[in-house]
Amino acid sequence: MMDPIVICIDDRLANPGDTWSAAGHVDEHSYSLGDHDFELPGGIDYDVVLTNAGEGILATGLVRAHVVGTCDRCLERAEFDVASEVDEYYLFEEPENLGEDEDEADYELVSADRTIDLSGALVAALVMETPFVVLCREDCRGLCPVCGANLNVEDCGHAAELEAERERERMESSPFSALAGLDLTGGGDEDDAPTGPTE
Ligand SMILES: [Zn+2]
Ligand SMILES: [Zn+2]
């Protein structure tokens, strides 16, 4: 869990329409999303504008981080940059008509001591733009299912063997190969021959 980033809602934001910029750097070193753990070697940078919107404080802006994770295909290091929009609403008071709009209850509350904590909004923004599938590169070839070789680095030959075997099986199961000795044409339903739709 990230350390709180506490901002005082003082005179600077006393009246509706008041705005105040809060930019900074957080030395946060990791976060997780599902089964994925990510490192943040450069921490998190944020640049947020706080606006007194009458019933609460609106926090909008950007969060940026360089993220290091693990490639889902080859298990090597995978790095990417995240730039995500922060968008959080901190209400001064709990709204009364809760329940009906429970689905839209997307807000935090300003604490009794007139502070807000930005950390949750920053992490939420970071997570939002973190890819669900992490790849070291878009066309990562992954690991060989037979020997575990990293196919980005070497070609162990198993892929070609598997492909050849698959081709052999396809040929053997083809109605054409079964009928190869007979002088017949057409009638197959699992081949690539340009025949019309068959039942
Ligand atoms: Zn990879
Ligand atoms: Zn292999």
Side-chain angles (χ1 to χ4, degrees), residues 118-197:
L118 279 181
S119 62
L122 300 190
V123 172
L126 202 59
V127 161
M128 185 99 72
E129 286 296 316
T130 299
F132 189 67
V133 175
V134 178
L135 296 177
C136 61
R137 63 183 210 215
E138 211 171 301
D139 62 346
C140 172
R141 302 167 71 99
L143 300 178
C144 169
V146 177
C147 71
N150 184 340
L151 299 175
N152 299 311
V153 179
E154 57 171 317
D155 184 0
C156 57
H158 287 124
E161 270 176 39
L162 284 175
E163 183 51 41
E165 195 168 313
R166 232 177 271 133
E167 179 69 9
R168 232 176 1 254
E169 281 170 11
R170 200 179 67 82
M171 293 301 284
E172 282 166 9
S173 67
S174 158
F176 280 140
S177 85
L179 300 174
L182 305 173
D183 191 14
L184 296 172
T185 54
D189 60 0
E190 282 180 13
D191 58 64
D192 298 320
T195 56

